């Protein structure tokens, strides 16, 4: 084996975001394909499955195989990558008829509330029909091909990763549009003549021949990047360019002329009509196809899939749980159903908290060498936000602060009613704002003693409040961490819900809220059948243990459904009807951006310059002023302005009600910023805890883990994939926030010309926050809680 080929085989890039996206897509398609095949095996043969998976594999081969790194060295390899993205992957994907399998493979809640409303939109359907019309798809495809092969654009893509990603997206997107009229994947029914495909494919082949000929027979090197690149296997830059032109010419012509030849045979010999006759073998199928043609197959089938129906609906059968239920997973579910599970988790976290407090008070007063400087600010925060994304509010399930209240209630009355004036989130809003300021003002990450005293104060507050007052008042009204979890878990995919509403309707004893002699009910007085979100739910699972019908589970839900539907919630009413909840949502959304911005170099330098300008004693007011503006003044002004502009078109609701309603649409974007920020610190510093733990155990006389290697305490350079993942999180948050705003606008103004006027101000606000987040993520960030260097 030649050294060059061996090096090629070893050069597999690490692209976790791409691999994960393709794997999830494949899983969704497989789930939907198997379900559809049970209903109609003839319509969904194995060949369609193989074609779609082959299309995804082709994308993986083009972007996550040795082709990707070698594309920077050889133009012919780069051309091969483009051919895979433009001429092989798109037709394979369309041959898999992906619409219905992907729809059917989605969780039912996401399918009903997200996918189908979009797909049934007349505007979206008209736009897609126009983009896939041959007269539109061909110019877009040709423009993308020629513009990106222009030397200026091609060089920009080679030298900057952002332009390179945009190039790949342009190629794949326009190629999907181009090949759609050729493949005509089910259930598309084009309204133009099939004869139009003859000039369509001939024109595509001609432009491909011209461009490839220019490359192959040119006497100069088009792209200076390859002239300066190291020569691989002794191939000159001009020979490499000629090979790239030939590669584009011959396989490209086959890709265009092959379908042209097959289309000619089909049109001349009527194979399509014979195939249609076979599909119409039964009268029932013929009638159904006729109805689809009249009403539009796209809308009809989408609606049936949204309702969980297929072509041949099987008889109804009882189900234990509607969809995914974490409590039914063999190992994890069995542990969570164990009545002592929460106590075990809380004890583990209590022991860890005790170690953090002890080391914070007795250990070195240097954050990167102390448990109190590393575990809370790097590991706990990162795992908390990632846990909220994956499984809901499990952080409150394992909360150690409420464990001592069980002891406290043996001596304290725990029977007082929480003061009526404080039965809101305003106290928690104030505590959160103070914490955001104090974290920066007092450098909590670098002062373990202060962190330890805050943890002790937290334990004391929980002990006193829950020891004196009934109803888990600390969790519901005081705890800032709990309020953070409540708001962020509105985007989570899991929720404590009933499995069958009919069982709860027939239940008269309501043990889930009243409890039993051996198991307490919900201390926060949330009646599970009337819950509509994760707000105020601590995932204590007392309702699960108390329910005599085993009818409560941790069910999969559509992420963010409570943000856009505003259903009544037991114990809370409507979320958008509460000023305190809207203020909490705005504070945590803008707090995500302010907390991250306070650590990036341009903002830190600007604040330092401002301190020098104002001088003493005003310099001490710079940090409080920054957080006062970022957390209160700016959110208030922006929300009020957006609300006023939304109401300018004659909206039924005015002012404050509109601001309350739309403020919850910002939550997903805020959550994505928290996730991106905390993930960055976690993945760049996750092993910083190892030497600190070695030092801590060594101070206790336990040397089983060996001597600390402090090089692990240094922050590692961010991996290439990390920024991609952060931007992906932010992208998903943007989409979910825009969709929530869209649904809210539809609810407030379902029809009329003022719809866009209602939606536009909040969409602009969401977009502005998104671009601010992108700017923050692209800036150098301070590495806190780690040793310098590394």
């Amino acid at each position: 084996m030649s050294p060059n080929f061996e090096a090629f085989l070893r050069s597999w890039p690490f692209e976790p975001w791409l691999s994960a996206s393709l794997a999830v897509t494949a899983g969704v398609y497989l789930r939907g394909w198997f379900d559809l095949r049970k209903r109609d095996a003839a319509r969904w043969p194995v060949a369609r499955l193989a074609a779609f998976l082959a299309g995804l594999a082709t994308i993986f081969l083009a972007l996550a195989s040795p082709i990707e790194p070698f594309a920077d060295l050889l133009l012919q390899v780069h051309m091969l990558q483009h051919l895979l993205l433009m001429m092989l992957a798109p037709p394979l994907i369309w041959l898999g008829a992906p619409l219905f399998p992907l729809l059917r493979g989605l969780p039912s809640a996401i399918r009903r509330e997200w996918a189908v409303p979009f797909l049934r939109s007349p505007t979206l359907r008209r736009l897609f029909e126009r983009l896939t019309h041959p007269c539109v798809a061909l110019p877009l495809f040709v423009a993308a091909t020629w513009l990106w092969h222009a030397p200026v654009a091609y060089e920009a893509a080679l030298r900057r990763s952002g332009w390179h990603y945009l190039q790949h997206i342009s190629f794949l997107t326009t190629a999907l549009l181009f090949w759609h009229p050729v493949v005509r994947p089910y259930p598309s029914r084009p309204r133009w003549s099939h004869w139009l495909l003859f000039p369509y494919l001939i024109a595509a082949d001609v432009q491909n021949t011209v461009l490839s000929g220019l490359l192959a027979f040119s006497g100069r090197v088009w792209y200076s990047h390859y002239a300066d690149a190291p020569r691989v296997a002794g191939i000159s830059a001009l020979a490499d360019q000629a090979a790239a032109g030939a590669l584009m010419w011959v396989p490209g012509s086959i890709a265009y002329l092959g379908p042209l030849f097959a289309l000619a045979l089909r049109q001349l010999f009527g194979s399509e009509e014979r195939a249609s006759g076979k599909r119409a073998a039964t009268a029932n199928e013929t009638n159904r196809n006729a109805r689809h043609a009249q009403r539009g197959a796209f809308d009809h089938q989408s609606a049936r899939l949204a309702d969980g129906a297929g072509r041949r609906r099987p008889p109804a059968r009882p189900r234990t749980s509607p969809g995914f239920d974490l409590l039914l997973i063999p190992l994890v579910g069995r542990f969570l159903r164990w009545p002592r599970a929460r106590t075990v988790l809380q004890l583990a976290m209590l022991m860890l908290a005790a170690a953090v407090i002890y080391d914070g008070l007795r250990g070195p007063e240097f954050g990167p060498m102390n448990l109190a400087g590393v575990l809370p600010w790097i590991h706990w925060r990162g795992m908390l936000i990632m846990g909220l994304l994956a499984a809901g509010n499990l952080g409150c399930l394992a909360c150690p602060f409420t464990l001592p209240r069980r002891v406290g209630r043996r001596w304290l009355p725990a029977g007082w009613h929480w003061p009526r004036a404080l039965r809101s989130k305003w106290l928690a809003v104030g505590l959160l704002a103070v914490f955001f300021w104090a974290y920066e003002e007092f450098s909590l990450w670098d002062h373990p003693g202060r962190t330890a005293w805050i943890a002790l104060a937290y334990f004391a507050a929980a002990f006193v409040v829950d020891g004196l007052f009934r109803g888990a008042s600390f969790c519901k009204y005081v705890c800032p961490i709990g309020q953070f979890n409540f708001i962020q878990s509105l985007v989570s995919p899991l929720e404590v819900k009933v499995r069958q509403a009919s069982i709860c309707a027939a239940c008269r004893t309501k043990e889930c809220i009243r409890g039993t002699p051996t198991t307490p009910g919900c201390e926060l007085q949330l009646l599970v059948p009337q819950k509509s979100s994760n707000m105020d739910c601590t995932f204590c699972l007392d309702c699960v243990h108390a329910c005599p019908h085993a009818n409560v589970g941790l069910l999969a839900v559509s992420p963010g459904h409570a943000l856009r539907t505003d259903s009544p919630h037991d114990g809370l009413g409507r979320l958008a009807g509460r000023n305190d909840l809207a203020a909490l949502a705005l504070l945590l959304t803008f707090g995500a951006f302010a907390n991250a911005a306070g650590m990036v170099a341009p903002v830190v330098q600007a604040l330092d310059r401002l301190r020098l300008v104002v001088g003493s004693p005003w310099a001490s007011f710079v940090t409080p002023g920054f957080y006062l503006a970022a957390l209160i003044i700016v959110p208030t002004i922006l929300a009020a302005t957006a609300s006023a502009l939304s109401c300018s078109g004659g909206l039924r609701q005015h002012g404050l009600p509109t601001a309350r309603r739309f403020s919850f649409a910002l939550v997903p974007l805020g959550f994505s910023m928290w996730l991106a920020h905390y993930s960055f610190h976690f993945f760049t510093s996750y092993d910083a805890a190892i030497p600190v733990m070695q030092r801590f155990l060594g101070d206790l006389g336990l040397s089983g883990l060996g001597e600390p290697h402090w090089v692990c305490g240094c922050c590692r350079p961010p991996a290439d994939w990390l920024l991609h993942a952060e931007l992906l999180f932010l992208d998903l948050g943007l989409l979910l926030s825009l969709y929530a705003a869209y649904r809210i606008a539809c609810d407030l103004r379902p029809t009329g010309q003022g719809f866009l006027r209602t939606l536009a101000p909040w969409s602009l606000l969401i977009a502005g926050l998104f671009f601010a987040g992108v700017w923050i993520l692209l800036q150098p960030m301070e590495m806190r809680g780690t040793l310098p260097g590394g």
Side-chain angles (χ1 to χ4, degrees):
M1 183 182 296
S2 68
N4 291 320
F5 186 66
E6 186 177 358
F8 178 82
L9 294 179
R10 290 200 308 265
S11 302
W12 285 86
F14 182 56
E15 297 289 351
W17 62 274
L18 176 66
S19 302
S21 300
L22 294 176
V24 170
T25 304
V28 172
Y29 184 93
L30 276 168
R31 182 172 183 260
W33 180 85
F34 278 116
D35 189 63
L36 292 171
R37 184 172 171 80
K38 292 177 184 178
R39 292 164 163 74
D40 190 350
R43 174 73 72 183
W44 302 101
V46 177
R48 283 190 170 174
L49 172 65
F52 185 80
L53 295 181
L56 296 184
T58 302
I59 296 176
F60 179 83
L61 182 66
L63 301 178
S65 76
I67 292 176
E68 172 67 16
F70 271 78
D72 283 342
L73 302 177
L74 291 172
L75 179 59
Q76 56 189 297
V77 177
H78 207 167
M79 191 62 66
L80 173 63
Q81 184 183 54
H82 294 169
L83 290 177
L84 293 175
L85 291 175
M86 301 180 72
M87 299 184 185
L88 186 57
L92 286 173
I93 289 174
W94 289 132
L95 285 171
L99 176 60
F100 289 158
L102 289 177
L103 262 181
R104 190 65 187 147
L106 290 171
S108 58
I110 296 179
R111 183 170 65 245
R112 287 194 304 268
E113 298 188 29
W114 289 18
V116 170
F118 269 123
L119 294 177
R120 297 180 68 181
S121 168
T123 303
L124 179 65
R125 290 166 56 183
R126 285 195 298 268
L127 177 63
F128 185 77
E129 289 174 359
R130 291 175 182 175
L131 290 177
T132 55
H133 192 281
C135 294
V136 177
L138 178 62
L140 291 176
F141 182 72
V142 173
T145 303
W146 281 78
L147 288 176
W148 280 114
H149 281 88
V152 174
Y154 208 95
E155 290 284 348
L158 288 169
R159 300 185 186 281
R160 294 193 176 184
S161 59
W163 288 106
H164 202 184
Y165 296 142
L166 181 60
Q167 182 190 57
H168 290 164
I169 293 172
S170 301
F171 283 157
L172 185 59
T173 303
T174 56
L176 285 170
L177 296 175
F178 173 82
W179 288 104
H180 188 276
V182 179
V183 180
R184 288 169 293 167
Y186 175 77
S188 62
R189 299 180 183 275
R191 300 178 181 177
W192 36 265
S193 172
H194 293 170
W195 292 100
L196 186 59
L197 291 179
F198 285 89
Y200 181 74
L201 290 170
I202 291 173
D205 181 55
V206 169
Q207 64 87 26
N208 179 75
T209 300
V210 172
L211 180 57
S212 58
L214 291 174
L215 280 171
F217 299 115
S218 176
R220 63 179 180 85
V221 177
W222 279 28
Y223 311 119
S224 59
H225 172 88
Y226 290 106
D228 301 333
R231 305 269 44 93
V232 178
I235 303 174
S236 67
L238 198 59
D240 178 36
Q241 181 174 292
L247 185 64
M248 184 181 187
W249 196 337
V250 178
S253 294
I254 294 174
Y256 297 124
L257 298 180
L260 188 66
F261 180 73
L263 182 65
L265 291 178
R266 179 182 299 175
Q267 294 296 104
L268 290 175
F269 296 101
S271 60
E272 182 177 15
E273 285 74 15
R274 289 198 298 270
S276 299
K278 293 179 181 179
R279 287 197 300 268
T282 65
N284 191 27
E285 180 73 5
T286 303
N287 293 335
R288 183 177 291 118
N289 286 340
R291 290 196 302 270
H292 289 176
Q294 294 172 359
R295 292 178 295 186
F298 186 90
D299 184 55
H300 180 78
Q301 289 280 38
S302 298
R304 290 178 61 80
L305 283 171
D307 296 333
R311 289 178 52 82
R312 295 168 185 158
R313 188 170 183 174
R317 57 186 179 186
R319 300 184 63 182
T320 305
S321 174
F324 176 82
D325 188 344
L326 185 63
L327 298 185
L328 299 182
I329 300 300
L331 294 178
V332 177
R334 183 174 182 180
F335 172 75
L336 292 176
R337 293 196 308 270
W338 180 38
R340 302 296 180 187
R342 190 187 192 199
T343 303
V344 170
L345 293 175
Q346 287 180 311
L347 283 173
M349 293 299 296
L350 182 63
M351 294 173 62
L352 194 59
V356 167
I357 293 173
Y358 177 83
D359 202 32
L361 297 176
R362 302 292 299 273
E365 189 61 23
F366 182 51
M369 299 180 67
N370 195 297
L371 290 178
V374 174
L375 292 186
W377 306 118
I378 296 177
H379 299 80
W380 173 74
R381 294 196 305 181
M383 289 187 288
L384 177 70
I385 196 68
M386 287 187 285
L388 283 165
L389 173 67
N393 192 10
L394 294 180
C396 284
L397 171 67
C399 174
F401 297 112
T402 57
L403 188 59
R405 72 183 179 188
R406 301 183 187 178
V407 180
R409 286 175 176 175
R410 296 183 180 180
W411 295 283
L412 298 175
W416 298 356
H417 292 283
W418 186 253
R420 185 176 298 275
L422 297 178
R423 293 180 189 176
S424 67
K425 304 294 184 181
W426 288 116
L427 176 59
V429 168
L431 292 175
L432 275 168
V434 169
F435 169 78
F436 289 143
W437 159 74
Y439 172 79
E440 195 72 33
E441 181 71 27
F442 300 108
S443 304
L444 297 180
W445 68 91
D446 203 30
H447 291 81
R450 296 173 183 175
T451 300
W453 280 112
I454 290 176
L456 284 173
Y458 226 104
F459 275 108
F463 182 85
V464 172
V465 172
D466 282 338
L468 295 176
F469 299 95
R470 63 174 62 182
S473 299
F474 178 78
C475 300
K476 191 168 186 175
Y477 302 115
V478 181
C479 179
I481 299 174
Q483 310 313 315
F484 178 90
N485 292 345
F486 293 153
I487 290 293
Q488 308 308 328
S489 63
L490 294 176
V491 192
S492 298
L494 292 182
E495 186 177 319
V496 176
K497 292 177 66 70
V498 298
R499 292 166 176 159
Q500 295 184 13
S502 59
I503 295 178
C504 290
C507 180
R508 295 293 179 264
T509 52
K510 308 298 182 187
E511 286 91 343
C512 60
I513 194 169
R514 296 175 180 172
T516 67
T518 58
T519 305
C522 179
E523 289 190 296
L524 287 95
Q525 298 299 300
L526 301 177
L527 187 60
V528 185
Q530 297 180 14
K531 278 175 75 278
S532 60
S533 72
N534 281 326
M535 196 67 196
D536 276 8
C537 181
T538 61
F539 275 44
C540 65
L541 303 185
D542 285 341
C543 55
V544 173
H545 306 312
C547 179
H549 311 290
N551 193 41
V552 182
L554 274 174
L555 304 183
V557 296
S558 173
H561 70 95
L563 303 174
R564 52 187 184 268
T565 57
D566 194 29
S567 301
H569 190 295
D570 183 59
L572 291 169
R574 296 185 182 273
L575 299 185
R578 301 255 312 252
N579 293 331
D580 55 336
L581 292 178
L584 185 61
L586 287 174
L587 175 73
L588 289 174
T589 298
F590 283 84
F593 293 88
N595 183 254
M599 302 183 191
V600 299
V603 176
V604 172
Q605 294 167 3
L607 293 178
D608 289 340
R609 288 194 297 268
L610 183 59
R611 291 186 184 94
L612 292 176
V613 170
V614 299
S616 180
W618 298 103
S620 59
F621 292 95
V622 170
T623 299
F626 171 75
Y627 280 95
L628 178 65
L631 300 179
I632 299 176
I633 298 176
V634 171
T636 303
I637 293 175
L638 291 178
T641 303
S643 178
L645 293 175
S646 292
C647 297
S648 62
L651 196 64
R652 293 191 304 270
Q653 294 185 0
H654 295 283
L656 191 57
T658 301
R660 285 199 305 257
R661 186 72 189 276
F662 275 102
S663 64
F664 288 95
L666 305 179
V667 170
L669 188 58
F671 175 86
S672 66
M673 191 65 205
W674 287 116
L675 180 62
H677 181 198
Y678 286 170
S679 297
F680 173 83
H681 288 291
F682 180 81
F683 286 109
T684 56
S685 310
Y686 64 88
D687 53 353
I690 297 176
V692 179
M693 187 63 70
Q694 290 174 319
R695 195 256 337 138
F696 175 71
L697 294 178
D699 290 349
L700 296 179
L702 304 173
S703 57
L705 295 181
E707 294 296 322
H709 298 282
W710 291 109
V711 66
C712 297
C714 301
C715 180
R716 62 178 65 234
D720 293 337
W721 61 267
L722 186 54
L723 178 60
H724 302 158
E726 292 178 274
L727 294 175
L728 177 62
F729 295 151
L730 213 57
D731 291 341
L732 294 176
L734 170 69
L735 293 177
L736 187 52
S737 283
L738 288 175
Y739 179 61
Y742 167 79
R743 291 289 298 272
I744 292 171
C746 289
D747 187 34
L748 295 180
R749 184 188 290 278
T751 59
Q753 297 180 350
F755 171 78
L756 288 179
R757 188 178 297 178
T758 301
L759 177 61
W762 292 95
S763 298
L764 290 175
L765 175 55
I766 292 169
L769 284 173
F770 169 77
F771 287 117
V774 171
W775 180 83
I776 291 170
L777 295 180
L778 295 177
Q779 305 306 312
M781 182 168 287
E782 289 185 351
M783 302 303 185
R784 297 177 174 179
T786 59
L787 293 171

